[in-house]
């Protein structure tokens, strides 16, 4: 083999090696220019209207969990309302939330091809969470949007956020891929994505303004399951005219006690800001007013199922006798709040429990998740068991709520004005009366002149003599009274119309509230419950006395007490305030 042939073979071998190295490098995650240019700047999915999005499904794998958590929102075809299937079909009534989320996922483009290697998925946090197990790392968030026909509008796996080298660059970039493609791209996106239950619902439970609350009844008791009665009962009834008025408590000792305004302010504020953190469906057969529907519950088995559901949440149905309608009592008392609009909210506090966010929001179903947890604990009780962070476990309490309208809490309507009585048509003739008096008295003109002179003298002598009142003009008085009556009647008719409208509005609002509240056990933070269930000793405090007034007021003395003798003082006595006995 000559030199020229040898050189040719060497160059050929080097070229082969270069190609192989290029393929190896490219397969290891460094994209080639051709591959990068293939989809650069193209959207993952074509543009779609956010109004076409009728369902959203989010799959995430929370740290410490044993299976993926799924959060879903979808429209019910029959009612056109959005519900949350993962949370017992609770209404997703956060206005415009789905459209806003869908709009944030529309038009996301491929900015840069980061990797084509499936092995890099963990590195960039784009592993599919729906296919992972509890030991997987690098899991992303998978979010899927569909339309009415269940056609996919967008389906992303969102990975780790890309750190910006330039501190002035505030653009949000993430590693993104689609479930059917191994290619990982860097994409600019500002996704408004949330799997928090509270972000998708109307979390304000009562929807009441604290300033509108004018009456409170704090009914503290504990339920005795043996006797099926409320034990250690203490009822505190409070009222005020409006938000600027002081609270008054029935049975308070006004001389020495007063209502603690700070505690009441905290209680009212808690009602105003009471938030939903979880829900559970109530059993069929329980009416919105929390009484049992005996027309629906036809069998003993149905009654037992309703009773069992109540008891598991800390509520008890009690009958006075076999014919009476069962009344629901709570494990930890009740609070009733009435507004100036006549809406009365009744809150019954049930069983307390502790759990993770997912358990609080939708309940622990005791299914696969619990079985996996039990297996994991038995597999290695100590070696791989992680310490539970106590801050992740929150104490909460079940709550039953219902609303009703009571017109007695409205400002009362004034009495209807009474029409004035018309005076008699015949009027006395003053001239004839005077003539009759002259004839009856038998006085001559001389006597009259003398009397007039005497009267004139008396007036001059007595400067304080009062002038005679003018005779009443009954006709003018009647006309003035009639004018006032007509104005009062017109105002009363307007007030009556407004009062009737308040009743109509109150009935409709109570009905609307119960449509939302009637089907659910709610879960609220036990911290809020502590602020609502105030004992009387916390509501009442000793009345503060004015020290200046006390010092100026001499002490009361006993008139029967014998005065004590005191030793004579050497110096001249000084005047001082009386000493307290």
């Amino acid at each position: 083999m000559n030199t020229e042939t040898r050189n040719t073979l060497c160059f050929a071998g080097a070229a082969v090696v270069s190609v192989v190295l290029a393929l190896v490098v490219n397969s290891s995650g460094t994209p080639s220019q051709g591959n990068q240019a293939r989809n650069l700047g193209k959207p993952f999915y074509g543009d779609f209207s956010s109004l076409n999005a009728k369902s959203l499904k989010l799959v995430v794998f929370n740290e410490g969990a044993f299976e993926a958590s799924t959060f879903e929102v979808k429209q019910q075809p029959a009612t056109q309302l959005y519900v949350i299937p993962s949370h017992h079909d609770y209404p997703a009534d956060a206005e415009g939330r789905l459209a806003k989320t869908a709009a944030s996922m529309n038009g996301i483009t491929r900015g840069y091809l980061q990797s084509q290697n499936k092995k890099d998925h963990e590195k960039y946090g784009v592993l599919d969470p729906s296919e992972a197990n509890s030991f997987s790392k690098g899991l992303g968030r998978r979010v899927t949007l569909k339309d009415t026909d269940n056609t996919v509008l967008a389906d992303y796996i969102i990975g780790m956020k890309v750190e910006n080298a330039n501190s002035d660059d505030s653009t949000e970039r993430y590693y993104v891929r689609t479930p059917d493609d191994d290619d990982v791209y860097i994409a600019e996106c500002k996704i408004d994505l949330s799997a928090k239950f509270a972000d998708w619902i109307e979390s304000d439970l009562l929807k009441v303004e604290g300033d509108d609350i004018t009456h409170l009844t704090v009914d503290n008791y504990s339920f005795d399951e043996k006797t099926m009665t409320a034990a250690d009962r203490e009822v505190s009834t409070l009222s005020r005219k409006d938000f600027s008025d002081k609270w008054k408590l029935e049975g308070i000792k006004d001389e020495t006690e007063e209502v603690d305004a700070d505690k009441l302010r905290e209680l009212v504020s808690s009602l105003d800001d009471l938030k939903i953190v979880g829900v559970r469906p109530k059993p069929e057969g329980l009416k919105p007013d929390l009484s049992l529907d005996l027309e629906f519950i036809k069998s003993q088995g149905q009654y037992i199922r309703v009773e069992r559901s109540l008891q598991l949440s800390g509520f008890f149905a009690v009958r006075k006798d076999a014919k009476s309608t069962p009344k629901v009592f709570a494990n930890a008392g009740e609070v009733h709040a009435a507004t100036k609009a006549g809406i009365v909210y009744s809150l019954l506090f049930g069983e307390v429990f502790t759990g993770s966010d997912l358990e609080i929001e939708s309940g622990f179903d005791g299914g696969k998740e619990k079985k996996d947890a039990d297996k994991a604990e038995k597999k290695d009780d100590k070696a791989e068991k992680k310490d539970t962070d106590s801050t992740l476990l929150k104490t909460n309490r079940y709550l039953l709520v219902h609303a009703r309208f009571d017109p007695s809490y409205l400002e009362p309507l004034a009495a209807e004005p009474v029409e004035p009585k018309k005076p008699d048509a015949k009027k006395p003739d003053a001239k004839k009366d005077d003539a009759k008096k002259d004839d009856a008295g038998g006085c001559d003109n001389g006597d009259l002149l003398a009397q007039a002179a005497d009267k004139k003298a008396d007036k001059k002598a007595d400067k304080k003599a009062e002038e005679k009142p003018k005779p009443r003009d009954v006709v003018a008085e009647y006309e003035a009274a009639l004018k006032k009556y007509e104005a009062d009647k017109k105002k009363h008719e307007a007030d009556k119309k407004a009062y009737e409208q308040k009743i109509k509005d109150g009935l409709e609002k109570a009905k609307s509230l119960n449509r939302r509240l009637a089907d659910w056990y709610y879960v609220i933070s036990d911290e809020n419950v502590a602020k609502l269930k105030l004992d009387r000793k916390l509501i009442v405090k000793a009345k503060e006395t004015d020290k200046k007034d006390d010092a100026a007021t001499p002490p009361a003395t006993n008139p029967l007490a014998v005065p004590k003798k005191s030793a004579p003082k050497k110096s001249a006595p000084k005047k001082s305030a009386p000493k307290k006995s």
Side-chain angles (χ1 to χ4, degrees):
M1 183 181 295
N2 55 31
T3 303
E4 186 175 347
T5 303
R6 188 182 302 109
N7 290 339
T8 301
L9 290 175
C10 288
F11 284 129
V16 171
V17 171
S18 298
V19 171
V20 172
L21 287 174
L23 290 173
V24 171
V25 171
N26 189 46
S27 64
S28 66
T30 303
S32 65
Q33 292 296 326
N35 285 333
Q36 184 171 337
R38 182 179 61 186
N39 290 316
L40 185 64
K42 294 182 180 180
F44 285 92
Y45 297 93
D47 288 342
F48 57 87
S49 172
S50 59
L51 298 176
N52 292 334
K54 301 302 180 183
S55 72
L56 176 144
K57 185 178 181 181
L58 175 64
V59 182
V60 295
F61 211 112
N62 296 315
E63 186 177 354
F66 292 91
E67 66 177 6
S69 173
T70 301
F71 185 87
E72 188 174 1
V73 178
K74 66 186 301 183
Q75 188 183 57
Q76 290 181 326
T79 62
Q80 300 296 303
L81 298 176
Y82 288 93
V83 298
I84 306 174
S86 56
H87 290 66
H88 315 289
D89 282 347
Y90 190 81
D93 46 11
E95 186 176 356
R97 180 78 202 191
L98 182 59
K100 188 177 180 181
T101 301
S104 71
M105 296 176 60
N106 194 4
I108 299 176
T109 60
R110 300 173 176 90
Y112 180 80
L113 179 61
Q114 182 67 28
S115 173
Q116 291 180 292
N117 193 340
K118 189 175 182 179
K119 293 181 180 180
D120 287 337
H121 288 180
E122 179 181 331
K123 176 182 178 182
Y124 299 116
V126 290
L127 286 174
D128 190 343
S130 61
E131 299 176 355
N133 57 51
S134 59
F135 302 103
S136 298
K137 296 180 180 180
L139 298 172
R141 295 173 294 167
R142 182 171 179 177
V143 54
T144 307
L145 284 175
K146 295 182 180 180
D147 62 12
T148 308
D149 299 325
N150 213 33
T151 302
V152 174
L153 299 176
D155 193 1
Y156 298 103
I157 298 177
I158 312 296
M160 297 167 57
K161 188 174 183 179
V162 180
E163 297 296 331
N164 291 328
N166 184 1
S167 59
D168 295 332
D169 186 1
S170 60
T171 306
E172 293 187 11
R173 298 181 180 88
Y174 290 86
Y175 296 109
V176 181
R177 75 178 182 92
T178 57
D180 57 354
D181 191 357
D182 291 337
D183 292 357
V184 180
Y185 292 88
I186 293 177
E188 293 183 9
C189 50
K190 193 173 183 179
I191 296 179
D192 183 16
L193 191 63
S194 174
K196 291 183 179 180
F197 177 62
D199 288 343
W200 289 89
I201 65 169
E202 173 55 74
S203 59
D204 188 351
L205 179 58
L206 303 182
K207 300 180 76 172
V208 63
E209 294 292 335
D211 288 347
D212 293 340
I213 296 173
T214 56
H215 293 75
L216 287 167
T217 301
V218 183
D219 189 358
N220 278 327
Y221 62 81
S222 57
F223 193 81
D224 189 335
E225 295 185 44
K226 293 182 179 179
T227 61
M228 294 299 285
T229 57
D232 303 323
R233 198 163 200 167
E234 178 189 72
V235 180
S236 301
T237 305
L238 301 112
S239 62
R240 62 179 178 178
K241 291 181 180 179
D242 53 47
F243 72 94
S244 61
D245 192 24
K246 291 183 178 180
W247 284 99
K248 296 178 182 178
L249 174 66
E250 286 187 7
I252 196 171
K253 298 177 182 177
D254 292 326
E255 300 82 7
T256 58
E257 297 176 333
E258 63 182 354
V259 173
D260 191 328
D262 291 336
K263 291 293 183 183
L264 264 295
R265 193 179 299 109
E266 192 175 52
L267 190 159
V268 171
S269 178
S270 295
L271 286 171
D272 186 341
D273 197 40
L274 197 58
K275 300 297 184 186
I276 301 169
V277 295
V279 292
R280 312 284 188 274
K282 285 196 315 193
E284 289 185 304
L286 193 60
K287 292 182 179 180
D289 65 357
L290 307 184
S291 64
L292 269 65
D293 188 352
L294 297 182
E295 293 183 1
F296 176 85
I297 302 172
K298 299 294 185 180
S299 67
Q300 184 67 18
Q302 284 180 305
Y303 186 87
I304 291 173
R305 281 194 292 273
V306 174
E307 189 177 48
R308 179 62 176 162
S309 173
L310 286 167
Q311 290 178 358
L312 286 173
S313 301
F315 305 101
F316 306 89
V318 180
R319 281 184 172 184
K320 290 184 179 179
D321 52 61
K323 295 182 179 179
S324 64
T325 301
K327 173 180 169 56
V328 174
F329 284 86
N331 189 45
E334 309 169 14
V335 167
H336 306 269
T339 70
K340 61 184 180 182
I343 303 298
V344 183
Y345 299 88
S346 294
L347 291 77
L348 282 68
F349 305 108
E351 190 62 68
V352 66
F353 70 98
T354 302
S356 64
D357 286 342
L358 186 60
E359 292 167 342
I360 292 166
E361 288 178 3
S362 60
F364 203 70
D365 61 9
K368 182 178 182 299
E369 185 173 319
K370 187 177 188 306
K371 292 176 183 178
D372 289 345
D374 292 341
K375 288 180 182 179
E377 287 183 2
K378 291 177 181 179
K379 184 178 180 181
D380 197 341
D381 191 29
K382 293 182 180 180
E384 294 185 6
K385 184 177 180 181
K386 296 181 179 180
D387 294 332
T388 302
D389 186 353
S390 60
T391 60
L392 297 177
L393 300 177
K394 302 172 184 178
T395 303
N396 299 269
R397 192 178 291 272
Y398 290 109
L399 176 74
L400 281 176
V401 186
H402 76 88
R404 62 185 174 89
F405 174 70
D406 187 343
S408 66
Y409 291 104
L410 295 176
E411 185 176 348
L413 183 65
E416 187 174 355
V418 179
E419 185 176 358
K421 188 176 180 181
K422 192 174 182 179
D424 294 337
K426 294 182 180 180
K427 297 181 181 179
D429 192 334
K431 293 182 178 180
K432 289 182 179 180
D433 289 345
D434 291 341
K436 288 179 181 180
K437 289 179 181 178
D438 291 344
D439 293 341
C443 296
D444 57 16
N445 291 335
D447 292 336
L448 291 174
L449 291 172
Q451 290 176 6
D454 291 340
K455 287 181 179 179
K456 190 174 181 180
D458 291 340
K459 287 181 180 179
K460 289 181 179 180
D462 189 4
K463 295 180 180 180
K464 296 182 180 180
E466 297 181 354
E467 294 182 0
K468 290 184 179 180
K470 296 179 181 180
R472 291 176 56 194
D473 189 343
V474 292
V475 175
E477 289 179 359
Y478 168 73
E479 290 176 349
L482 183 62
K483 187 176 181 180
K484 184 177 184 302
Y485 162 75
E486 289 173 349
D488 291 345
K489 184 180 180 181
K490 188 175 181 180
K491 182 179 183 301
H492 182 269
E493 289 173 352
D495 290 346
K496 184 179 180 181
K497 189 175 181 180
Y499 184 81
E500 290 171 350
Q501 186 62 44
K502 286 180 181 179
I503 292 176
K504 184 179 179 181
D505 292 344
L507 290 169
E508 181 56 39
K509 184 171 182 180
K511 186 178 179 181
S512 175
L513 283 167
N514 283 326
R515 276 197 297 267
R516 187 167 66 95
L517 302 171
D519 297 333
W520 307 97
Y521 297 112
Y522 287 97
V523 178
I524 61 172
S525 169
D526 204 38
E527 293 180 4
N528 283 341
V529 177
K531 295 175 183 178
L532 296 170
K533 289 175 71 283
L534 294 181
D535 295 334
R536 189 180 180 88
K537 62 183 179 181
L538 295 176
I539 296 174
V540 177
K541 67 176 183 178
K543 182 175 285 188
E544 296 181 1
T545 57
D546 193 334
K547 294 182 179 180
K548 293 182 179 179
D549 292 345
D550 290 345
T553 304
T557 57
N558 183 357
L560 301 179
V562 178
K564 295 181 180 180
K565 296 182 179 179
S566 58
K569 296 181 180 179
K570 295 181 180 180
S571 59
K574 295 182 179 179
K575 293 183 179 180
S576 60
K579 295 182 179 179
K580 294 183 180 180
S581 58

